[in-house]
């Protein structure tokens, strides 16, 4: 016996009491920024939509303020996933709303130059900024994306502006998908005031209002095909946080959209019989934005717990391959980067109320990796290595951050570079080390922006999906996560992935 939820219904783990069998027009796998846009747009276009999400929904009562504990609940592999080759941490969420529940809500359009480069290098005819702007606009207006207002910046964000002004670097308040942000700086552990317009609060409810059915705690394990047509997805209901499998489910659909994230989608395609892989590009070309951060300590208190998590940015160096931002994380996570032992460590931690943390993310277009399936698991193995030229850009970006801290009046900078003094006390001291040849393992890096593992290419021999997100080898199988980005968007990837997802939804609705 099977059970079928009514239109507009959400099913959580406790609701399942038997196997589930559904039929619909469109099944969307994954409720992150990509999948939820597709679900809402198609439900509003009158399609019967089922949205399937492996993670559970979270409410403010479920959020854990402790960073480590929060990660064990909201992130895959408890937030400890890393690449192999160059070992680099990378986090992917597992929850209704995907990465949007834990991210900093930064929404930046890819620069015109970056998109023009994609068009010429990946045979894309409609990928210019002018082509994508209507899709960016639609997402921006639905989510209320706007620059961070001054009253919630807090000192650590405004010091960044001061630094840029002093050095003549352009800077601006970051545009974010928030409404009524209070500047609590806790985006990473979940916005308790519900200001962040994460997908579980914005696009998913809109999809439900338009009649979409949502299955949470439902892990898709296989995509069924008949010839060139995808016909269904199937899998198991899984217990939140533990993943223990229970009831089976199957959703038959006329169209299948995969938006499980750029690490899960390639694994699903491979496990389902190496689908959509005539180009041999499924799982290839994996790219990241490796990021590094430094902490400046100022003479006056910065009250770093107050202020939008990431409120200010500089696109001044995007042409050189890096973007600069302010940053805040729960102090326990910040402590991981703080050098020293015993009393020295305590001294550094006591300085946090006087500190600001800023980061640089790098477009590493030469550093390509792979997503490989793991035996009997949906968790991927990730191979990735730093290209020496890309690493040089990261090292330069770190020294720009150091320079900025001193320009803003910091009395010292804690940079976390192995082999250099733990802290610099002046820009002159920092400059004596700037020319030192560093190795990738000398700098602490992490990367939560990942993309391109099922890249878009106009030529079916070189890419997995076409410009509208349809897998080249199929009639009705689409991908709508960051995996479709041809390469680095030069800026934070969520907004561009959503613009693509919006275009994909429009294309499906027009069929
Ligand atoms: C801490 C952090 C901060 C970040 N900050 C920003 C930021 O401020 N701005 C920005 O642009 N980017 C940011 N990012 C990156 C951004 O969040 C991601 O690029 C974005 O979420 C990717 O969207 P997506 O739809 O491709 O995939 P995801 O958001 O990963 O969503 C995929 C969804 O699919 C589900 N899923 C996976 N496998 C299955 C399966 N087999 N069955 C069913 N469901 C499945 C997952 O549980 C997940 O909910 C940040 C990321 C992190 C981790
Ligand atoms: S800074 Fe605080 S209030 Fe603002 S969006 Fe993030 S968590 Fe919500």
């Amino acid at each position: 016996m099977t059970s079928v939820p009514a239109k507009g219904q959400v099913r959580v783990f406790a609701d399942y009491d038997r196997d589930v069998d559904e039929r619909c027009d469109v099944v969307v796998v994954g409720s992150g920024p990509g999948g939820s846009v597709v679900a809402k747009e198609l439900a509003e276009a009158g399609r019967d939509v089922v949205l399937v999400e492996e993670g559970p929904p979270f409410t403010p009562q479920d959020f854990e303020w402790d960073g480590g504990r929060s990660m064990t609940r909201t992130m895959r592999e408890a937030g400890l996933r890393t690449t192999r080759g160059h070992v680099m941490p990378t986090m992917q969420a597992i929850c209704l709303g995907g990465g949007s529940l834990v991210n900093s809500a930064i929404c930046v359009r890819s620069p015109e130059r970056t998109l023009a480069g994609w068009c010429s290098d990946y045979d894309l005819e409609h990928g210019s900024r002018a082509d994508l702007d209507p899709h960016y606009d639609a997402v921006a207006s639905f989510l209320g994306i706007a620059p961070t207002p001054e009253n919630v910046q807090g000192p650590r964000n405004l010091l960044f502006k001061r630094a840029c002004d002093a050095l003549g670097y352009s800077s601006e308040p970051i545009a974010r998908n928030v409404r009524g942000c209070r500047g609590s700086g806790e985006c990473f552990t979940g916005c308790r005031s519900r200001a962040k317009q994460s997908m579980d609060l914005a696009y998913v409810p809109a999809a439900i209002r338009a009649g979409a059915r949502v299955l949470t705690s439902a892990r898709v394990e296989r995509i069924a095909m008949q010839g060139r047509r995808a016909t269904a997805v199937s899998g198991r209901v899984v217990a939140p946080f533990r993943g223990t499998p229970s009831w089976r489910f199957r959703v038959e659909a006329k169209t299948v959209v995969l938006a499980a994230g750029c690490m899960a989608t390639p694994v699903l395609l491979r496990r389902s019989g190496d689908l959509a892989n005539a180009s041999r590009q499924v799982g290839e070309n994996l790219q990241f934005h490796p990021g590094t951060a430094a902490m400046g300590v100022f003479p006056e208190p910065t009250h770093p717990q107050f202020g939008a998590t990431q409120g200010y940015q500089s696109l001044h160096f995007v042409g050189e391959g890096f973007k600069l931002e302010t940053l805040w994380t729960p102090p326990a996570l910040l402590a991981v980067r703080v050098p020293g032992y015993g009393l020295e460590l305590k001294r550094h931690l006591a300085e946090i109320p006087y500190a600001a943390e800023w980061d640089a993310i790098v477009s590493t277009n030469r550093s390509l990796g792979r997503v490989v399936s793991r035996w009997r698991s949906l968790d991927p193995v990730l191979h990735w290595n730093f290209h020496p030229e890309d690493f040089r850009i990261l090292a330069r970006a770190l020294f720009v951050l150091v320079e900025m801290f001193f320009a803003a009046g910091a009395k010292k900078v804690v940079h976390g570079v192995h082999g250099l003094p733990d802290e610099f006390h002046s820009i002159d001291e920092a400059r004596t080390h700037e020319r030192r040849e560093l190795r990738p393992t000398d700098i602490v890096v992490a990367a939560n922006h990942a993309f391109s593992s099922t890249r878009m290419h106009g030529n079916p021999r070189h890419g997995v999906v076409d410009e509208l997100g349809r897998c080249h080898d199929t009639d009705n199988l689409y991908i709508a996560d960051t995996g479709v980005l041809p390469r680095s968007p030069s800026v934070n990837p969520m907004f561009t992935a959503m613009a693509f997802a919006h275009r994909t939804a429009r294309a499906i609705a027009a069929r």
Side-chain angles (χ1 to χ4, degrees):
M1 193 172 157
T2 57
S3 80
V4 181
K7 274 196 143 201
Q9 191 181 353
V10 184
R11 192 156 284 206
V12 299
F13 182 66
D15 296 330
Y16 298 97
D17 58 359
R18 64 198 80 176
D19 290 347
V20 177
D21 206 347
E22 302 258 8
R23 273 178 191 73
C24 62
D25 294 330
V26 184
V27 63
V28 181
V29 180
S31 65
S36 59
V37 169
V38 174
K40 180 246 183 202
E41 293 300 323
L42 287 176
E44 287 184 349
R47 299 296 189 279
D48 180 19
V49 173
V50 173
L51 176 61
V52 186
E53 167 57 52
E54 181 177 355
F58 279 75
T59 66
Q61 290 72 36
D62 301 318
F63 293 143
E64 293 280 348
W65 202 67
D66 176 273
R69 186 158 162 75
S70 173
M71 280 158 61
T72 63
R73 290 159 63 81
T74 58
M75 305 287 190
R76 289 180 181 273
E77 303 183 66
L80 301 177
R81 182 174 274 179
T82 64
T83 53
R84 295 184 188 180
H86 181 82
V87 177
M88 176 174 69
T90 176
M91 292 182 202
Q92 281 79 48
I94 173 167
C95 49
L96 191 66
S100 67
L101 191 88
V102 293
N103 74 19
S104 300
I106 299 175
C107 293
V108 195
R109 298 180 195 220
S110 272
E112 194 159 356
R113 198 166 141 215
T114 300
L115 296 174
W118 289 3
C119 289
S120 54
D121 294 350
Y122 299 90
D123 293 354
L124 305 176
E125 285 176 14
H126 306 289
S128 69
R129 179 66 182 266
D131 291 318
L132 277 185
D133 268 340
H135 303 286
Y136 280 124
D137 290 345
V139 174
S141 118
F142 180 74
L143 289 176
I145 294 171
T148 304
E150 178 118 356
N151 64 331
V152 295
Q153 289 286 4
R156 60 184 163 72
N157 288 320
L158 293 175
L159 282 165
F160 180 96
K161 173 178 165 31
R162 186 198 289 177
C164 288
D165 288 351
L167 293 166
Y169 302 156
S170 62
S171 71
E172 68 223 11
I174 293 179
R176 297 176 306 145
N177 51 309
V178 302
R179 290 186 202 273
C181 170
R182 295 184 307 133
S184 67
E186 56 186 348
C187 293
F188 180 78
T189 48
C191 180
R192 283 185 291 174
S193 58
R194 297 311 231 181
K196 181 167 46 164
Q197 297 300 292
S198 50
M199 303 306 121
D200 56 317
L201 289 189
Y203 270 98
V204 175
I208 293 167
R209 285 195 295 277
R213 288 163 281 166
V214 181
L215 303 179
T216 67
S217 292
R219 180 174 65 210
V220 171
E221 296 177 345
R222 202 168 174 83
I223 304 144
M225 297 286 292
Q226 276 181 2
R228 285 178 56 92
R229 295 194 67 78
T231 53
V233 302
S234 59
R236 302 289 287 265
V237 171
V238 289
F241 316 124
R242 294 195 308 278
T244 317
S246 61
W247 307 105
R248 292 178 190 280
F249 70 88
R250 180 180 161 83
V251 185
E252 271 182 35
K254 294 175 194 150
T255 301
V256 175
V257 181
L258 300 179
C262 73
M263 296 180 189
T265 291
V267 173
L268 272 177
L269 290 169
R270 287 259 171 79
R271 278 175 64 112
S272 303
D274 210 12
L275 302 181
N277 200 14
S279 63
R280 311 313 304 163
Q281 298 300 313
V282 168
E284 301 296 323
N285 313 302
L286 175 68
Q287 285 199 33
F288 293 96
H289 282 157
T292 190
M295 186 171 90
V297 180
F298 291 84
E300 304 297 329
T302 54
H303 308 291
Q305 73 283 8
F306 175 71
T309 307
Q310 299 194 261
Y312 241 91
Q313 67 184 8
S314 171
L315 303 179
H316 192 89
F317 298 95
V318 163
E320 279 191 46
F322 62 95
K323 175 188 179 239
L324 305 173
E325 311 164 331
T326 59
L327 178 67
W328 180 243
T329 54
L333 299 188
L334 206 60
V336 174
R337 286 173 182 264
V338 174
Y341 299 98
L343 266 182
E344 196 195 349
L345 178 63
K346 271 186 166 174
R347 193 171 50 78
H348 280 306
L349 295 178
E351 286 169 333
I352 288 181
Y354 294 80
E357 172 130 341
W358 301 339
D359 74 271
I361 56 169
V362 180
S363 301
T364 50
N365 283 323
R366 287 156 289 210
S367 309
L368 302 183
R370 307 177 67 198
V371 179
V372 177
S373 303
R374 226 184 260 186
W375 192 60
R376 297 183 75 176
S377 167
L378 282 168
D379 286 325
V381 176
L382 307 169
H383 295 276
W384 186 82
N385 268 302
F386 243 127
H387 187 285
E389 292 301 320
D390 289 338
F391 174 70
R392 259 178 225 123
I393 295 173
L394 182 101
R396 156 143 169 78
L398 188 64
F399 276 96
V400 171
L401 287 178
V402 171
E403 178 196 34
M404 284 173 55
F405 276 120
F406 287 118
K411 59 180 189 177
K412 68 176 178 183
V413 178
V414 181
H415 47 74
V417 181
H418 181 72
L420 300 187
D422 283 350
E423 43 191 57
F424 294 145
H425 294 89
S426 70
I427 186 62
D428 293 335
E429 182 191 358
R431 287 215 170 100
T432 61
H433 298 281
E434 197 175 349
R435 299 207 169 276
R436 178 125 159 223
E437 200 61 35
L438 296 171
R439 291 165 306 170
T441 45
D442 290 335
I443 299 185
V444 180
V445 289
N448 293 328
H449 301 169
F451 32 83
S452 306
S453 57
T454 52
R455 76 177 177 197
M456 182 181 288
H457 201 297
N459 184 336
R461 284 190 296 139
H462 301 306
V464 179
V465 300
D466 66 16
E467 280 197 76
L468 300 177
R470 185 181 57 82
C471 293
H472 282 298
D473 312 351
T474 73
D475 293 337
N476 65 338
L477 178 62
Y478 290 80
I479 300 178
D481 53 38
T482 58
V484 303
L485 305 188
R487 67 178 176 221
S488 163
S490 305
V491 293
N492 317 58
M494 171 173 71
F495 199 14
T496 300
M498 294 174 87
F500 275 137
H502 189 266
R503 185 165 72 173
T504 294
R506 290 288 159 93
I508 296 171
R511 274 164 67 104

